Amino acid sequence: MVVRATTQRLRERRARAADRRFGVRLLSAAAVTALSAVPFALVLVLVEGRWRPLRRVDEGAARRLHATALEHPAWTSTLRFLSDWVWDPATLRCAVALLTVWLLYRRAWRLAAWSAVTAVAGGLTGLLVKTVVERVRPSLADPVAQAPGFSFPSGHTMTATTSLAVLLLALLPLVPRGGRALCWCVAGLSVLGVGFTRVALGVHWFSDVVGGWLLGLAVVASTAWAFEVWRTDSGRRHSEMAEGLEPELTEATPEG
């Protein structure tokens, strides 16, 4: 009994220490996202330097997709519906907010913190980069859609990347193993679809979309790394990406 009680106290002490480090690491990971996003930084350099091959790709994609949008109004209306409602940043942020509230109800405190910090860090980082870069959106004859603000990176694409990653990595433990591959496919196709709609509607360059994908992935990777460090510090086993960040979510007390 004495040995068991001592072991339990050691575990509780270790968990408390891990909790104290978790918040610091989570915020630190968000702060250094730009430094760790090497692929995004490369795209940013090419955009800022107006690299000719990239400009040709951007202008060619915008021209061809805009012509298609003008020729097929029904197709364009579908893209607008997907972009403005189904994959709209407000819709996805509401989904993450509801997930966070549900995680708090389930007493998955740290997973809820990870969800909220990832979403907020993604939004603020994207806004900061837009303000610094100040890239002008495509200017096309007979535009089929309008969007305010600067262009790089694509806010829709970045929000979709971070939000769908949060939903996927948090909820995967609740999905039967046979259905997890489908969830990954749906999330991946949705992220790609958001990027396509923004270019096809003529409100973003192709490189804006690539930048949104890469920066969103950098944010998720940084905060997910912080969450995994907390798991290791608190004595939990390493979680595989395929099973979600917190496999214990199916238990009565996920972080008890």
Side-chain angles (χ1 to χ4, degrees), residues 62-93:
R63 184 171 56 253
R64 288 190 294 270
L65 289 175
H66 183 60
T68 302
L70 291 175
E71 292 173 3
H72 303 282
W75 166 248
T76 304
S77 296
T78 301
L79 295 181
R80 275 201 297 264
F81 172 76
L82 290 172
S83 183
D84 295 344
W85 294 97
V86 179
W87 292 326
D88 183 72
T91 302
L92 295 174
R93 287 169 185 152

Side-chain angles (χ1 to χ4, degrees), residues 40 93 119-134 148-155 158-159 215:
F40 169 77
R93 287 169 185 152
V120 173
L124 293 178
T125 302
L127 181 61
L128 175 62
V129 175
K130 276 179 179 286
T131 303
V132 171
V133 176
E134 294 186 341
F150 296 117
S151 189
F152 183 88
S154 166
M158 187 172 176
T159 301
L215 189 55

Side-chain angles (χ1 to χ4, degrees), residues 106 108 148 211 218 228 256:
R106 289 280 288 110
E228 187 61 31

Side-chain angles (χ1 to χ4, degrees), residues 87 89 92 155-166 187 190-191 194-195:
W87 292 326
L92 295 174
H156 273 68
T157 305
M158 187 172 176
T159 301
T161 303
T162 54
S163 298
L164 290 169
V166 166
S190 295
V191 170
V194 172

Side-chain angles (χ1 to χ4, degrees), residues 11 23 44 47 92 112 141-142 161 174 183 197 252 255:
R11 287 178 177 173
L44 176 58
V47 167
L92 295 174
D142 300 321
T161 303
L174 306 179
C183 291
T197 62
E255 297 176 2

